[in-house]
CSV table of all heavy atoms in Angstrom, one decimal:
chain,number,residue,atom,x,y,z
A,34,MET,N,-6.9,65.4,20.1
A,34,MET,CA,-6.2,65.4,21.3
A,34,MET,C,-4.7,65.2,21.2
A,34,MET,O,-3.9,65.7,22.1
A,34,MET,CB,-6.9,64.2,22.1
A,34,MET,CG,-6.4,64.1,23.5
A,34,MET,SD,-7.5,62.9,24.5
A,34,MET,CE,-6.5,62.9,26.1
A,35,ALA,N,-4.3,64.4,20.1
A,35,ALA,CA,-2.9,64.2,19.9
A,35,ALA,C,-2.2,65.6,19.7
A,35,ALA,O,-1.1,65.8,20.2
A,35,ALA,CB,-2.6,63.2,18.8
A,36,GLN,N,-2.9,66.5,19.0
A,36,GLN,CA,-2.3,67.8,18.7
A,36,GLN,C,-2.3,68.5,19.9
A,36,GLN,O,-1.3,69.4,20.1
A,36,GLN,CB,-3.1,68.4,17.7
A,36,GLN,CG,-3.2,68.0,16.2
A,36,GLN,CD,-4.2,67.0,16.1
A,36,GLN,OE1,-5.1,66.7,16.8
A,36,GLN,NE2,-4.2,66.3,14.8
A,37,GLU,N,-3.2,68.4,20.8
A,37,GLU,CA,-3.0,69.1,22.1
A,37,GLU,C,-1.7,68.6,23.0
A,37,GLU,O,-1.3,69.4,23.8
A,37,GLU,CB,-4.3,69.1,22.9
A,37,GLU,CG,-5.4,69.8,22.1
A,37,GLU,CD,-6.7,69.8,22.9
A,37,GLU,OE1,-6.8,69.2,23.9
A,37,GLU,OE2,-7.7,70.4,22.3
A,38,LEU,N,-1.5,67.3,22.8
A,38,LEU,CA,-0.4,66.7,23.6
A,38,LEU,C,0.9,67.1,23.1
A,38,LEU,O,1.9,67.2,23.7
A,38,LEU,CB,-0.6,65.2,23.6
A,38,LEU,CG,-1.8,64.7,24.5
A,38,LEU,CD1,-1.9,63.2,24.4
A,38,LEU,CD2,-1.6,65.1,26.0
A,39,PHE,N,1.0,67.4,21.7
A,39,PHE,CA,2.2,67.8,21.0
A,39,PHE,C,1.9,69.1,20.2
A,39,PHE,O,1.9,68.9,18.9
A,39,PHE,CB,2.6,66.7,20.1
A,39,PHE,CG,2.9,65.4,20.9
A,39,PHE,CD1,2.1,64.3,20.8
A,39,PHE,CD2,4.1,65.3,21.7
A,39,PHE,CE1,2.4,63.1,21.5
A,39,PHE,CE2,4.4,64.0,22.3
A,39,PHE,CZ,3.5,63.0,22.2
A,40,PRO,N,1.7,70.1,20.8
A,40,PRO,CA,1.3,71.4,20.1
A,40,PRO,C,2.4,71.9,19.0
A,40,PRO,O,2.0,72.6,18.1
A,40,PRO,CB,1.1,72.4,21.1
A,40,PRO,CG,1.8,72.0,22.4
A,40,PRO,CD,1.8,70.5,22.2
A,41,LYS,N,3.6,71.6,19.2
A,41,LYS,CA,4.6,72.1,18.4
A,41,LYS,C,4.9,71.1,17.2
A,41,LYS,O,5.6,71.4,16.4
A,41,LYS,CB,6.0,72.3,19.1
A,41,LYS,CG,5.8,73.5,20.1
A,41,LYS,CD,7.2,73.8,20.7
A,41,LYS,CE,6.8,74.9,21.8
A,41,LYS,NZ,8.1,75.2,22.5
A,42,ARG,N,4.3,70.0,17.3
A,42,ARG,CA,4.5,68.8,16.2
A,42,ARG,C,3.1,68.3,15.8
A,42,ARG,O,2.9,67.2,16.0
A,42,ARG,CB,5.3,67.9,16.7
A,42,ARG,CG,6.8,68.3,17.0
A,42,ARG,CD,7.8,67.3,16.9
A,42,ARG,NE,9.1,67.8,17.3
A,42,ARG,CZ,10.0,68.3,16.4
A,42,ARG,NH1,9.7,68.2,15.1
A,42,ARG,NH2,11.3,68.6,16.9
A,43,MET,N,2.2,69.1,15.5
A,43,MET,CA,0.8,68.7,15.2
A,43,MET,C,0.8,67.6,14.1
A,43,MET,O,0.0,66.7,14.2
A,43,MET,CB,-0.1,69.8,14.9
A,43,MET,CG,-0.4,70.7,16.0
A,43,MET,SD,-1.6,72.1,15.5
A,43,MET,CE,-2.2,72.6,17.1
A,44,ALA,N,1.4,67.9,13.0
A,44,ALA,CA,1.4,67.0,11.8
A,44,ALA,C,2.0,65.7,12.3
A,44,ALA,O,1.5,64.6,11.8
A,44,ALA,CB,2.1,67.5,10.7
A,45,THR,N,3.1,65.6,13.0
A,45,THR,CA,3.7,64.4,13.5
A,45,THR,C,2.7,63.7,14.5
A,45,THR,O,2.6,62.4,14.2
A,45,THR,CB,5.0,64.7,14.2
A,45,THR,OG1,5.9,65.4,13.3
A,45,THR,CG2,5.6,63.4,14.6
A,46,ALA,N,2.0,64.3,15.2
A,46,ALA,CA,1.2,63.6,16.1
A,46,ALA,C,-0.1,63.0,15.3
A,46,ALA,O,-0.5,61.9,15.5
A,46,ALA,CB,0.5,64.7,17.1
A,47,SER,N,-0.6,63.8,14.4
A,47,SER,CA,-1.7,63.4,13.5
A,47,SER,C,-1.3,62.0,12.8
A,47,SER,O,-2.0,61.1,12.6
A,47,SER,CB,-2.2,64.4,12.6
A,47,SER,OG,-2.7,65.4,13.2
A,48,GLY,N,-0.1,62.1,12.1
A,48,GLY,CA,0.4,61.0,11.2
A,48,GLY,C,0.6,59.8,12.2
A,48,GLY,O,0.4,58.6,11.9
A,49,ALA,N,1.3,60.1,13.4
A,49,ALA,CA,1.4,59.0,14.3
A,49,ALA,C,0.2,58.2,14.8
A,49,ALA,O,0.1,56.9,14.8
A,49,ALA,CB,2.3,59.4,15.4
A,50,ILE,N,-0.9,59.0,15.0
A,50,ILE,CA,-2.1,58.5,15.5
A,50,ILE,C,-2.9,57.7,14.4
A,50,ILE,O,-3.3,56.6,14.6
A,50,ILE,CB,-3.0,59.5,16.2
A,50,ILE,CG1,-2.3,60.0,17.4
A,50,ILE,CG2,-4.4,59.1,16.4
A,50,ILE,CD1,-2.1,59.2,18.6
A,51,ALA,N,-2.7,58.3,13.3
A,51,ALA,CA,-3.4,57.6,12.2
A,51,ALA,C,-2.7,56.3,11.8
A,51,ALA,O,-3.3,55.3,11.6
A,51,ALA,CB,-3.4,58.5,10.9
A,52,GLY,N,-1.4,56.3,11.7
A,52,GLY,CA,-0.6,55.2,11.5
A,52,GLY,C,-0.8,54.0,12.7
A,52,GLY,O,-0.9,52.9,12.3
A,53,PHE,N,-0.9,54.5,13.8
A,53,PHE,CA,-1.2,53.6,14.9
A,53,PHE,C,-2.6,53.0,14.7
A,53,PHE,O,-2.7,51.7,15.0
A,53,PHE,CB,-1.1,54.3,16.3
A,53,PHE,CG,-1.3,53.4,17.5
A,53,PHE,CD1,-0.4,52.4,17.9
A,53,PHE,CD2,-2.4,53.5,18.1
A,53,PHE,CE1,-0.6,51.5,19.1
A,53,PHE,CE2,-2.8,52.7,19.2
A,53,PHE,CZ,-1.8,51.7,19.6
A,54,ALA,N,-3.5,53.6,14.4
A,54,ALA,CA,-4.8,53.2,14.3
A,54,ALA,C,-4.9,52.2,13.1
A,54,ALA,O,-5.6,51.2,13.3
A,54,ALA,CB,-5.8,54.5,13.9
A,55,ILE,N,-4.4,52.5,11.9
A,55,ILE,CA,-4.4,51.6,10.9
A,55,ILE,C,-3.7,50.4,11.2
A,55,ILE,O,-4.2,49.2,10.9
A,55,ILE,CB,-3.9,52.3,9.5
A,55,ILE,CG1,-4.8,53.4,9.2
A,55,ILE,CG2,-3.6,51.3,8.5
A,55,ILE,CD1,-4.1,54.4,8.0
A,56,GLY,N,-2.4,50.5,11.8
A,56,GLY,CA,-1.7,49.3,12.2
A,56,GLY,C,-2.4,48.4,13.2
A,56,GLY,O,-2.4,47.1,13.1
A,57,THR,N,-2.8,49.1,14.2
A,57,THR,CA,-3.6,48.4,15.2
A,57,THR,C,-4.9,47.7,14.5
A,57,THR,O,-5.2,46.4,15.1
A,57,THR,CB,-4.2,49.3,16.3
A,57,THR,OG1,-3.1,49.9,16.9
A,57,THR,CG2,-4.8,48.5,17.4
A,58,GLY,N,-5.6,48.2,13.6
A,58,GLY,CA,-6.7,47.6,13.1
A,58,GLY,C,-6.3,46.3,12.3
A,58,GLY,O,-7.0,45.3,12.3
A,59,GLY,N,-5.2,46.4,11.5
A,59,GLY,CA,-4.7,45.2,10.9
A,59,GLY,C,-4.3,44.1,11.8
A,59,GLY,O,-4.6,42.9,11.5
A,60,VAL,N,-3.8,44.4,12.9
A,60,VAL,CA,-3.3,43.3,13.8
A,60,VAL,C,-4.6,42.9,14.5
A,60,VAL,O,-4.7,41.6,14.9
A,60,VAL,CB,-2.3,43.9,14.9
A,60,VAL,CG1,-2.2,42.9,16.0
A,60,VAL,CG2,-1.0,44.3,14.3
A,61,GLY,N,-5.5,43.8,14.9
A,61,GLY,CA,-6.8,43.3,15.5
A,61,GLY,C,-7.5,42.3,14.6
A,61,GLY,O,-8.2,41.5,15.2
A,62,VAL,N,-7.6,42.6,13.3
A,62,VAL,CA,-8.5,41.8,12.5
A,62,VAL,C,-8.0,40.3,12.5
A,62,VAL,O,-8.5,39.5,12.5
A,62,VAL,CB,-8.5,42.4,11.1
A,62,VAL,CG1,-9.0,41.4,10.1
A,62,VAL,CG2,-9.3,43.6,11.1
A,63,THR,N,-6.5,40.4,12.4
A,63,THR,CA,-5.8,39.1,12.4
A,63,THR,C,-6.1,38.2,13.7
A,63,THR,O,-6.4,37.2,13.8
A,63,THR,CB,-4.3,39.2,12.3
A,63,THR,OG1,-4.1,40.0,11.2
A,63,THR,CG2,-3.5,38.0,12.3
A,64,LEU,N,-6.1,39.0,14.9
A,64,LEU,CA,-6.3,38.3,16.2
A,64,LEU,C,-7.8,37.8,16.3
A,64,LEU,O,-8.1,36.7,16.9
A,64,LEU,CB,-6.0,39.2,17.3
A,64,LEU,CG,-4.4,39.4,17.3
A,64,LEU,CD1,-4.1,40.6,18.6
A,64,LEU,CD2,-3.6,38.2,17.6
A,65,ILE,N,-8.7,38.7,15.9
A,65,ILE,CA,-10.2,38.4,15.9
A,65,ILE,C,-10.3,37.2,15.0
A,65,ILE,O,-11.3,36.4,15.3
A,65,ILE,CB,-11.0,39.6,15.5
A,65,ILE,CG1,-10.9,40.7,16.5
A,65,ILE,CG2,-12.4,39.2,15.4
A,65,ILE,CD1,-11.4,40.6,17.8
A,66,GLY,N,-9.7,37.2,13.8
A,66,GLY,CA,-9.9,35.9,13.0
A,66,GLY,C,-9.3,34.7,13.6
A,66,GLY,O,-10.0,33.6,13.5
A,67,ALA,N,-8.3,34.8,14.4
A,67,ALA,CA,-7.8,33.6,15.0
A,67,ALA,C,-8.8,33.1,16.1
A,67,ALA,O,-9.0,32.0,16.3
A,67,ALA,CB,-6.4,34.0,15.7
A,68,VAL,N,-9.3,34.1,16.8
A,68,VAL,CA,-10.3,33.7,17.9
A,68,VAL,C,-11.6,33.1,17.2
A,68,VAL,O,-12.1,32.1,17.6
A,68,VAL,CB,-10.8,35.0,18.7
A,68,VAL,CG1,-12.1,34.7,19.5
A,68,VAL,CG2,-9.7,35.4,19.5
A,69,ALA,N,-12.0,33.7,16.1
A,69,ALA,CA,-13.2,33.1,15.3
A,69,ALA,C,-12.9,31.6,14.8
A,69,ALA,O,-13.7,30.7,14.9
A,69,ALA,CB,-13.5,33.9,14.1
A,70,ASP,N,-11.6,31.4,14.4
A,70,ASP,CA,-11.2,30.1,13.8
A,70,ASP,C,-11.3,29.0,15.0
A,70,ASP,O,-11.6,27.9,14.8
A,70,ASP,CB,-9.8,30.1,13.1
A,70,ASP,CG,-9.8,30.8,11.8
A,70,ASP,OD1,-11.1,30.8,11.3
A,70,ASP,OD2,-8.8,31.1,11.3
A,71,ARG,N,-10.7,29.6,16.2
A,71,ARG,CA,-10.5,28.5,17.2
A,71,ARG,C,-11.8,28.3,18.1
A,71,ARG,O,-12.1,27.2,18.5
A,71,ARG,CB,-9.4,29.1,18.2
A,71,ARG,CG,-9.2,28.1,19.3
A,71,ARG,CD,-7.7,28.2,19.8
A,71,ARG,NE,-7.7,27.4,21.0
A,71,ARG,CZ,-6.9,26.3,21.1
A,71,ARG,NH1,-6.4,25.9,20.0
A,71,ARG,NH2,-6.8,25.6,22.1
A,72,TYR,N,-12.5,29.4,18.3
A,72,TYR,CA,-13.7,29.3,19.2
A,72,TYR,C,-15.0,29.5,18.7
A,72,TYR,O,-16.1,29.5,19.2
A,72,TYR,CB,-13.5,30.3,20.5
A,72,TYR,CG,-12.3,30.0,21.2
A,72,TYR,CD1,-11.1,30.9,21.2
A,72,TYR,CD2,-12.1,29.0,22.1
A,72,TYR,CE1,-10.1,30.7,21.9
A,72,TYR,CE2,-11.0,28.8,22.8
A,72,TYR,CZ,-9.9,29.7,22.7
A,72,TYR,OH,-8.7,29.3,23.5
A,73,GLY,N,-15.0,29.9,17.2
A,73,GLY,CA,-16.3,30.4,16.6
A,73,GLY,C,-16.6,31.7,16.5
A,73,GLY,O,-16.1,32.6,17.2
A,74,VAL,N,-17.5,32.0,15.5
A,74,VAL,CA,-17.9,33.4,15.3
A,74,VAL,C,-18.6,34.1,16.4
A,74,VAL,O,-18.4,35.2,16.7
A,74,VAL,CB,-18.6,33.4,13.9
A,74,VAL,CG1,-19.2,34.9,13.8
A,74,VAL,CG2,-18.0,33.0,12.8
A,75,PRO,N,-19.4,33.5,17.1
A,75,PRO,CA,-20.0,34.0,18.2
A,75,PRO,C,-19.1,34.6,19.3
A,75,PRO,O,-19.3,35.6,19.9
A,75,PRO,CB,-21.1,32.9,18.8
A,75,PRO,CG,-21.2,32.1,17.7
A,75,PRO,CD,-20.1,32.1,16.9
A,76,ALA,N,-18.1,33.8,19.6
A,76,ALA,CA,-17.0,34.2,20.5
A,76,ALA,C,-16.3,35.5,20.0
A,76,ALA,O,-16.1,36.4,20.8
A,76,ALA,CB,-16.1,33.1,20.8
A,77,ALA,N,-16.1,35.4,18.7
A,77,ALA,CA,-15.4,36.6,18.2
A,77,ALA,C,-16.2,37.7,18.3
A,77,ALA,O,-15.7,39.0,18.6
A,77,ALA,CB,-14.9,36.3,16.7
A,78,THR,N,-17.4,37.7,18.0
A,78,THR,CA,-18.4,38.7,18.0
A,78,THR,C,-18.6,39.3,19.6
A,78,THR,O,-18.6,40.6,19.7
A,78,THR,CB,-19.8,38.4,17.6
A,78,THR,OG1,-19.7,37.8,16.4
A,78,THR,CG2,-20.8,39.5,17.5
A,79,HIS,N,-18.6,38.5,20.5
A,79,HIS,CA,-18.6,38.9,21.9
A,79,HIS,C,-17.3,39.8,22.2
A,79,HIS,O,-17.3,40.6,23.0
A,79,HIS,CB,-18.8,37.7,22.7
A,79,HIS,CG,-20.1,37.1,22.7
A,79,HIS,ND1,-21.3,37.7,23.0
A,79,HIS,CD2,-20.5,35.9,22.6
A,79,HIS,CE1,-22.3,36.9,22.9
A,79,HIS,NE2,-21.8,35.8,22.6
A,80,LEU,N,-16.3,39.1,21.7
A,80,LEU,CA,-15.0,40.0,21.9
A,80,LEU,C,-15.1,41.3,21.3
A,80,LEU,O,-14.6,42.3,22.0
A,80,LEU,CB,-13.8,39.2,21.4
A,80,LEU,CG,-12.4,39.8,21.5
A,80,LEU,CD1,-12.1,40.0,23.0
A,80,LEU,CD2,-11.5,38.9,20.9
A,81,ILE,N,-15.6,41.4,20.1
A,81,ILE,CA,-15.7,42.7,19.4
A,81,ILE,C,-16.6,43.7,20.3
A,81,ILE,O,-16.3,44.9,20.3
A,81,ILE,CB,-16.3,42.6,18.0
A,81,ILE,CG1,-15.1,41.9,17.2
A,81,ILE,CG2,-16.6,43.8,17.3
A,81,ILE,CD1,-15.6,41.6,15.7
A,82,ASN,N,-17.5,43.1,20.9
A,82,ASN,CA,-18.5,44.0,21.8
A,82,ASN,C,-17.7,44.5,23.0
A,82,ASN,O,-18.2,45.5,23.5
A,82,ASN,CB,-19.7,43.1,22.0
A,82,ASN,CG,-20.5,42.9,20.8
A,82,ASN,OD1,-20.6,43.7,20.0
A,82,ASN,ND2,-21.4,41.8,21.0
A,83,VAL,N,-16.8,43.8,23.4
A,83,VAL,CA,-16.1,44.2,24.7
A,83,VAL,C,-15.0,45.2,24.5
A,83,VAL,O,-14.7,46.0,25.3
A,83,VAL,CB,-15.5,43.0,25.4
A,83,VAL,CG1,-14.6,43.2,26.6
A,83,VAL,CG2,-16.6,42.1,25.8
A,84,LEU,N,-14.5,45.3,23.3
A,84,LEU,CA,-13.3,46.2,22.9
A,84,LEU,C,-13.6,47.7,23.1
A,84,LEU,O,-12.7,48.3,23.7
A,84,LEU,CB,-12.8,45.9,21.4
A,84,LEU,CG,-12.2,44.5,21.3
A,84,LEU,CD1,-11.8,44.3,19.7
A,84,LEU,CD2,-11.0,44.4,22.0
A,85,PRO,N,-14.8,48.2,22.7
A,85,PRO,CA,-15.0,49.5,23.1
A,85,PRO,C,-15.0,49.9,24.6
A,85,PRO,O,-14.5,50.9,25.0
A,85,PRO,CB,-16.4,49.8,22.5
A,85,PRO,CG,-16.6,48.8,21.5
A,85,PRO,CD,-15.8,47.6,22.0
A,86,ALA,N,-15.4,49.1,25.4
A,86,ALA,CA,-15.3,49.3,26.8
A,86,ALA,C,-13.8,49.3,27.2
A,86,ALA,O,-13.5,50.1,28.1
A,86,ALA,CB,-16.2,48.2,27.6
A,87,ILE,N,-13.1,48.4,26.7
A,87,ILE,CA,-11.7,48.4,27.1
A,87,ILE,C,-11.0,49.7,26.7
A,87,ILE,O,-10.2,50.3,27.4
A,87,ILE,CB,-10.9,47.1,26.5
A,87,ILE,CG1,-11.4,45.8,27.2
A,87,ILE,CG2,-9.5,47.3,26.6
A,87,ILE,CD1,-11.0,44.5,26.5
A,88,GLY,N,-11.3,50.1,25.4
A,88,GLY,CA,-10.8,51.4,24.8
A,88,GLY,C,-11.2,52.5,25.7
A,88,GLY,O,-10.4,53.5,26.0
A,89,ALA,N,-12.3,52.7,26.2
A,89,ALA,CA,-12.9,53.7,27.1
A,89,ALA,C,-12.1,53.7,28.4
A,89,ALA,O,-11.8,54.9,29.0
A,89,ALA,CB,-14.4,53.6,27.3
A,90,LEU,N,-11.9,52.5,28.9
A,90,LEU,CA,-11.1,52.5,30.2
A,90,LEU,C,-9.7,53.0,30.0
A,90,LEU,O,-9.0,53.6,30.7
A,90,LEU,CB,-11.2,51.0,30.9
A,90,LEU,CG,-12.5,50.6,31.4
A,90,LEU,CD1,-12.4,49.1,31.8
A,90,LEU,CD2,-12.8,51.4,32.5
A,91,LEU,N,-9.0,52.6,28.9
A,91,LEU,CA,-7.7,53.0,28.6
A,91,LEU,C,-7.7,54.6,28.3
A,91,LEU,O,-6.8,55.2,28.7
A,91,LEU,CB,-7.2,52.3,27.5
A,91,LEU,CG,-6.9,50.8,27.6
A,91,LEU,CD1,-6.4,50.2,26.4
A,91,LEU,CD2,-5.7,50.7,28.7
A,92,ALA,N,-8.8,55.1,27.7
A,92,ALA,CA,-8.7,56.5,27.4
A,92,ALA,C,-8.9,57.3,28.7
A,92,ALA,O,-8.4,58.5,28.7
A,92,ALA,CB,-10.0,56.9,26.6
A,93,LEU,N,-9.4,56.8,29.8
A,93,LEU,CA,-9.4,57.4,31.0
A,93,LEU,C,-8.0,57.6,31.6
A,93,LEU,O,-7.7,58.5,32.5
A,93,LEU,CB,-10.3,56.8,32.0
A,93,LEU,CG,-11.7,56.6,31.8
A,93,LEU,CD1,-12.4,55.7,32.8
A,93,LEU,CD2,-12.3,58.0,31.8
A,94,LEU,N,-7.0,56.8,31.2
A,94,LEU,CA,-5.7,56.9,31.7
A,94,LEU,C,-4.8,58.0,31.0
A,94,LEU,O,-3.7,58.2,31.4
A,94,LEU,CB,-4.9,55.6,31.5
A,94,LEU,CG,-5.6,54.4,32.2
A,94,LEU,CD1,-4.8,53.1,32.0
A,94,LEU,CD2,-5.5,54.7,33.8
A,95,LEU,N,-5.2,58.6,29.8
A,95,LEU,CA,-4.6,59.6,29.1
A,95,LEU,C,-4.4,60.8,29.9
A,95,LEU,O,-5.4,61.3,30.6
A,95,LEU,CB,-5.4,59.9,27.8
A,95,LEU,CG,-5.3,58.9,26.8
A,95,LEU,CD1,-6.2,59.2,25.5
A,95,LEU,CD2,-4.0,58.5,26.3
A,96,PRO,N,-3.3,61.6,29.9
A,96,PRO,CA,-3.2,62.8,30.5
A,96,PRO,C,-4.0,63.9,29.9
A,96,PRO,O,-4.2,63.9,28.6
A,96,PRO,CB,-1.7,63.2,30.4
A,96,PRO,CG,-1.2,62.3,29.1
A,96,PRO,CD,-2.1,61.1,29.0
A,97,LEU,N,-4.6,64.7,30.6
A,97,LEU,CA,-5.5,65.9,30.0
A,97,LEU,C,-4.9,67.1,30.5
A,97,LEU,O,-5.1,67.7,31.5
A,97,LEU,CB,-6.8,65.6,30.8
A,97,LEU,CG,-7.7,64.4,30.5
A,97,LEU,CD1,-8.9,64.4,31.2
A,97,LEU,CD2,-7.8,64.2,28.9
A,98,PRO,N,-4.1,67.7,29.6
A,98,PRO,CA,-3.4,68.9,29.9
A,98,PRO,C,-4.2,70.1,30.4
A,98,PRO,O,-3.9,70.9,31.1
A,98,PRO,CB,-2.7,69.3,28.6
A,98,PRO,CG,-3.1,68.4,27.6
A,98,PRO,CD,-3.8,67.4,28.2
A,99,TRP,N,-5.5,70.2,29.8
A,99,TRP,CA,-6.4,71.3,30.0
A,99,TRP,C,-7.0,71.2,31.5
A,99,TRP,O,-7.4,72.2,32.0
A,99,TRP,CB,-7.5,71.4,29.1
A,99,TRP,CG,-8.4,70.1,28.8
A,99,TRP,CD1,-9.4,69.8,29.6
A,99,TRP,CD2,-8.1,69.2,27.9
A,99,TRP,NE1,-9.9,68.6,29.1
A,99,TRP,CE2,-9.1,68.2,28.1
A,99,TRP,CE3,-7.2,69.0,27.0
A,99,TRP,CZ2,-9.2,67.0,27.3
A,99,TRP,CZ3,-7.3,67.8,26.2
A,99,TRP,CH2,-8.2,66.8,26.5
A,100,LYS,N,-7.0,70.0,32.0
A,100,LYS,CA,-7.4,69.8,33.5
A,100,LYS,C,-6.4,70.2,34.4
A,100,LYS,O,-6.7,70.6,35.5
A,100,LYS,CB,-7.9,68.4,33.8
A,100,LYS,CG,-9.3,68.2,33.1
A,100,LYS,CD,-9.9,67.0,33.7
A,100,LYS,CE,-11.2,66.8,33.2
A,100,LYS,NZ,-11.8,65.5,33.7
A,101,ALA,N,-5.1,70.2,33.9
A,101,ALA,CA,-3.9,70.5,34.9
A,101,ALA,C,-3.6,71.9,34.8
A,101,ALA,O,-2.7,72.4,35.6
A,101,ALA,CB,-2.8,69.6,34.5
A,102,GLY,N,-4.4,72.7,34.1
A,102,GLY,CA,-4.2,74.0,33.9
A,102,GLY,C,-2.9,74.6,33.1
A,102,GLY,O,-2.5,75.7,33.2
A,103,HIS,N,-2.5,73.7,32.3
A,103,HIS,CA,-1.4,74.0,31.4
A,103,HIS,C,-1.9,74.8,30.1
A,103,HIS,O,-2.9,74.6,29.6
A,103,HIS,CB,-0.7,72.8,30.8
A,103,HIS,CG,0.0,71.9,32.0
A,103,HIS,ND1,1.3,72.0,32.1
A,103,HIS,CD2,-0.6,71.2,32.8
A,103,HIS,CE1,1.6,71.1,33.0
A,103,HIS,NE2,0.4,70.6,33.5
A,104,GLU,N,-1.1,75.8,29.8
A,104,GLU,CA,-1.5,76.7,28.7
A,104,GLU,C,-0.6,76.2,27.4
A,104,GLU,O,0.5,75.8,27.6
A,104,GLU,CB,-1.2,78.2,29.0
A,104,GLU,CG,-2.2,78.8,30.1
A,104,GLU,CD,-3.5,78.9,29.4
A,104,GLU,OE1,-3.8,79.1,28.3
A,104,GLU,OE2,-4.5,78.7,30.3
A,105,CYS,N,-1.3,76.1,26.3
A,105,CYS,CA,-0.5,75.8,25.1
A,105,CYS,C,0.2,76.9,24.5
A,105,CYS,O,-0.1,78.1,24.5
A,105,CYS,CB,-1.4,75.1,24.1
A,105,CYS,SG,-2.1,73.6,24.7
């Protein structure tokens, strides 16, 4: 999808998305660890279970160029 948003810079889009995913994972692990230390492992597990739903809701906010009728 990132390549479709930036058709003239596909490699840059791929690299940016991969870097963002790796960086976000590192920060997320740190935050989940802090939650586990403070509130316990069950609370951290419940938080991990909610994260996909939050991601799905955020994905709905992404622009979809193929629905707007734009040609690449």
Side-chain angles (χ1 to χ4, degrees):
M34 186 171 178
Q36 290 93 359
E37 291 176 3
L38 292 172
F39 302 103
K41 294 182 181 178
R42 301 202 182 269
M43 288 183 163
T45 302
S47 295
I50 294 300
F53 179 74
I55 292 168
T57 303
V60 171
V62 166
T63 304
L64 295 176
I65 298 284
V68 169
D70 285 342
R71 179 153 175 109
Y72 301 106
V74 175
T78 304
H79 291 304
L80 179 60
I81 290 171
N82 290 334
V83 172
L84 291 176
I87 294 170
L90 291 173
L91 289 174
L93 293 173
L94 299 175
L95 290 172
L97 301 174
W99 56 87
K100 283 194 173 183
H103 295 254
E104 294 291 326
C105 294

